[in-house]
């Protein structure tokens, strides 16, 4: 029984991004909690996931699958930022400032 409980505790640690956290991110950076498609909401979600994976890789530096996933995620975020930069520079500047991405 104790092993099963420990197994479920491990599963809780894996799920770092639950529905409530996504709604919080979308509510803060998107137009509403259901706004999952706006570039600002997606960039904020990618930033949260990138920060989490970066911390994971600091402890597990030989995890090549996660390193590749992190690289792909950074590329997706870069494409979304470029889209905002080209189409609406004011929204681009606002999201950069809100997330603290550029220094």
């Amino acid at each position: 029984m104790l092993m099963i409980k420990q197994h479920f505790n491990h599963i809780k640690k894996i799920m770092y991004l639950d529905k409530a956290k996504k709604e919080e991110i979308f509510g803060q950076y998107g137009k509403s909690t259901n706004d999952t498609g706006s570039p600002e909401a997606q960039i904020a979600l990618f930033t949260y996931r990138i920060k989490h994976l970066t911390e994971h890789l600091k402890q597990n530096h030989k995890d090549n699958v996660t390193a590749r996933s992190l690289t792909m995620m950074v590329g997706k975020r870069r494409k979304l930022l470029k889209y905002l930069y080209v189409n609406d520079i004011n929204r681009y500047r606002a999201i950069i400032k809100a997330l603290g991405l550029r220094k």
Side-chain angles (χ1 to χ4, degrees):
M1 185 70 174
L2 184 60
M3 285 183 63
I4 294 172
K5 193 172 187 177
Q6 288 175 346
H7 177 70
F8 286 122
N9 286 339
H10 177 69
I11 290 174
K12 286 181 184 177
K13 290 180 184 177
I14 291 174
M15 295 180 58
Y16 69 95
L17 187 62
D18 56 349
K19 185 176 180 180
K21 184 63 179 175
K22 282 185 183 180
E23 286 180 356
E24 177 187 333
I25 291 171
F26 294 146
Q28 186 175 2
Y29 297 103
K31 295 174 183 131
S32 69
T33 57
N34 296 329
D35 178 27
T36 60
S38 71
E40 291 92 344
Q42 290 183 17
I43 290 168
L45 183 64
F46 280 137
T47 301
Y48 180 79
R49 293 174 68 192
I50 287 168
K51 287 179 182 177
H52 176 77
L53 289 179
T54 302
E55 291 301 316
H56 171 78
L57 283 174
K58 285 180 182 176
Q59 296 172 355
N60 305 296
H61 63 279
K62 292 187 176 183
D63 189 356
N64 293 324
V65 174
T66 303
R68 182 173 186 272
S69 298
L70 177 64
T71 304
M72 292 190 314
M73 209 173 299
V74 168
K76 287 180 182 181
R77 183 179 70 178
R78 186 182 312 134
K79 288 177 188 176
L80 284 169
L81 285 168
K82 184 177 179 183
Y83 169 80
L84 268 183
Y85 184 81
V86 169
N87 291 322
D88 193 351
I89 191 74
N90 293 328
R91 287 170 57 193
Y92 170 80
R93 288 180 181 151
I95 194 69
I96 290 296
K97 186 175 183 181
L99 294 173
L101 292 178
R102 303 278 191 265
K103 293 185 180 180

